[in-house]
Amino acid sequence: MSREGLLIGEVATRSGLSRKALRLYEARGILSSPRRTRSGYRVYPPEVLGILAFVQQGRRLGLTLTELRDIVVLRRTGAT
């Protein structure tokens, strides 16, 4: 089965975040729930790396996860 996207370990490595942080961001609504393989592995789209870079920059600037979630949701829905 071919997969198009990144497994959680690949996202963690490329973003510098832990798998636990990625699951937390998913639970908090910052990341959309990724699709799953037949065996249950999370498969994230490549665009997730841009979202995570934004979140990391926002955290460095002092934004809370709730504030970042609200911004990401606005962006995801296309609202300005």
Side-chain angles (χ1 to χ4, degrees), residues 39-66:
S39 54
Y41 292 105
R42 290 171 168 86
V43 179
Y44 292 92
E47 305 83 55
V48 75
L49 297 173
I51 295 168
L52 293 171
F54 169 76
V55 170
Q56 287 176 305
Q57 181 66 26
R59 295 292 291 154
R60 283 191 291 273
L61 294 172
L63 295 173
T64 66
L65 289 180
T66 302

Side-chain angles (χ1 to χ4, degrees), residues 8 19-36 42-44 48 52 69 76:
I8 193 168
R19 294 171 192 211
K20 185 176 180 178
L22 295 172
R23 289 189 292 269
L24 172 71
Y25 289 172
E26 183 184 336
R28 294 273 182 100
I30 295 169
L31 297 178
S32 297
S33 295
R35 67 180 181 81
R36 302 272 185 148
R42 290 171 168 86
V43 179
Y44 292 92
V48 75
L52 293 171
R69 181 200 62 221
R76 192 180 301 141

